[in-house]
Amino acid sequence: MTSDLVSVIMPSYNSAKHIAESIDSILSQTYRHLELLITDDHSDDTATLDILRSYSEKDERVNVLYLDSNHGPGYARNKSIERAKGRYIAFCDSDDRWFPEKLERQIAFMEQKKCALCYASYIICDDMNTEQGIGIAPSSITFGQLKRDNKIGCLTAVYDTQMLGKKYYMPAIRKRQDWGLFLSILRDCKKAYAIQEPLAFYRNRQNSVSSNKLGLIKYNILIYQKVLGFSRLKSNLYFFCLFIPTHFKKLLKRRIDSFFYKKRK
């Protein structure tokens, strides 16, 4: 582990449309001491592969691993985490973007608060970078609160392996792995803290992995079973009695926050 180095974890799969923007937003950070670990999940378009090779050749901070078969974003993220040399682990998907000062502000915040897990608010945009709204992060969140629903935007999360140890990986399921990871971390560190100003742009795409909400139901329930060790009955009770009401309250708050955000803009 290298002190103060940030290891940025990025999965890619046929990401040619946006991945250059995502990579540029990381390499242009005001916090320069970083490595970008990209795991390509067996892309079959040459454009994505050409972009990845170009960046890895021109910037030594970019390290790309090419998988021989497709496994899903959680597996790809884990392969990057395995290679990470940094004290801090951060995440950015291949269609999201960071503000230039994101890492600098979060690392300073974590040192000040002495917290092991930090996250932030983010701007929501569409496929053409048109701003649609905002996801305002709660100022802090506990393990008990996170069990009800994930309120941590993965593209904003940073955790400290010096405080926690390098032992956290995403569960081996195709979706909702980030929630599983944060539950595992918060089970140990108890509380995470947020910078409530937006520090990233989340791209809301209709065909993304997380866009099919009905299709995510079984994966939400699997998180309770595989990560928290709940029985099938307890997992379903948690999902229908706690997750669903909390999730809809979160969506309603996001809609209200986005309305006022666009009105101010």
Side-chain angles (χ1 to χ4, degrees):
M1 180 183 70
T2 303
S3 178
D4 299 334
L5 177 68
V6 178
S7 297
V8 183
I9 308 302
M10 178 182 287
S12 71
Y13 177 71
N14 293 348
S15 310
K17 186 173 182 180
H18 300 297
I19 194 168
E21 282 185 283
S22 300
I23 294 174
D24 285 338
S25 77
I26 292 165
L27 298 182
S28 62
Q29 287 292 297
T30 56
Y31 189 98
R32 304 294 296 170
H33 196 202
L34 62 86
E35 61 176 356
L36 173 56
L37 303 171
I38 303 173
T39 298
D40 183 75
D41 200 17
H42 198 56
S43 292
D44 55 17
D45 71 319
T46 57
T48 297
L49 301 176
D50 288 343
I51 292 169
L52 293 178
R53 290 192 184 98
S54 172
Y55 276 99
S56 63
E57 288 171 1
K58 70 184 180 182
D59 195 313
E60 62 182 9
R61 294 177 296 169
V62 180
N63 181 304
V64 184
L65 173 68
Y66 301 92
L67 299 181
D68 294 331
S69 56
N70 182 270
H71 296 272
Y75 182 91
R77 290 188 187 109
N78 284 343
K79 297 306 286 186
S80 289
I81 294 172
E82 287 175 6
R83 307 187 336 261
K85 299 175 183 176
R87 171 181 173 178
Y88 299 98
I89 304 290
F91 300 91
C92 185
D93 281 354
S94 57
D95 55 356
D96 297 329
R97 292 173 291 139
W98 287 355
F99 286 24
E101 69 278 12
K102 176 190 182 291
L103 285 182
E104 183 176 10
R105 292 194 58 188
Q106 284 189 275
I107 300 304
F109 179 82
M110 293 174 77
E111 290 176 353
Q112 176 192 354
K113 296 282 288 186
K114 293 181 169 43
C115 66
L117 174 62
C118 171
Y119 56 104
S121 300
Y122 53 88
I123 305 298
I124 303 166
C125 65
D126 64 14
D127 214 40
M128 303 302 294
N129 290 338
T130 303
E131 294 185 15
Q132 297 179 320
I134 189 169
I136 298 180
S139 59
S140 64
I141 192 165
T142 64
F143 175 64
Q145 291 169 329
L146 196 68
K147 284 195 294 185
R148 294 171 173 261
D149 185 24
N150 184 22
K151 294 185 176 68
I152 298 175
C154 188
L155 76 163
T156 72
V158 182
Y159 69 90
D160 185 348
T161 65
Q162 184 169 292
M163 295 181 69
L164 293 166
K166 189 183 173 183
K167 58 184 178 181
Y168 299 97
Y169 293 90
M170 298 201 170
I173 59 176
R174 299 284 297 194
K175 302 174 184 178
R176 301 295 275 161
Q177 316 93 342
D178 55 337
W179 183 30
L181 173 70
F182 302 142
L183 281 168
S184 297
I185 292 174
L186 270 182
R187 185 160 44 191
D188 292 341
C189 72
K190 310 305 180 188
K191 198 169 188 177
Y193 296 89
I195 294 175
Q196 291 192 289
E197 297 171 51
L199 294 178
F201 291 94
Y202 170 76
R203 196 178 302 278
N204 185 24
R205 294 188 295 120
Q206 290 186 343
N207 61 343
S208 67
V209 169
S210 59
S211 61
N212 182 358
K213 301 304 181 185
L214 289 176
L216 290 175
I217 289 176
K218 71 175 182 178
Y219 295 101
N220 290 318
I221 294 172
L222 274 174
I223 289 295
Y224 289 122
Q225 293 178 279
K226 288 186 172 290
V227 177
L228 300 182
F230 290 177
S231 67
R232 182 177 296 181
L233 174 60
K234 186 176 180 179
S235 298
N236 278 275
L237 286 173
Y238 251 78
F239 177 74
F240 288 105
C241 297
L242 294 176
F243 178 93
I244 287 181
T246 306
H247 184 70
F248 277 106
K249 186 185 293 186
K250 179 181 75 174
L251 294 181
L252 177 60
K253 181 181 183 302
R254 182 176 297 169
R255 180 164 293 193
I256 294 170
D257 290 339
S258 295
F259 171 80
F260 286 109
Y261 172 78
K262 289 188 287 187
K263 193 172 182 180
R264 288 195 303 271
K265 293 285 285 187

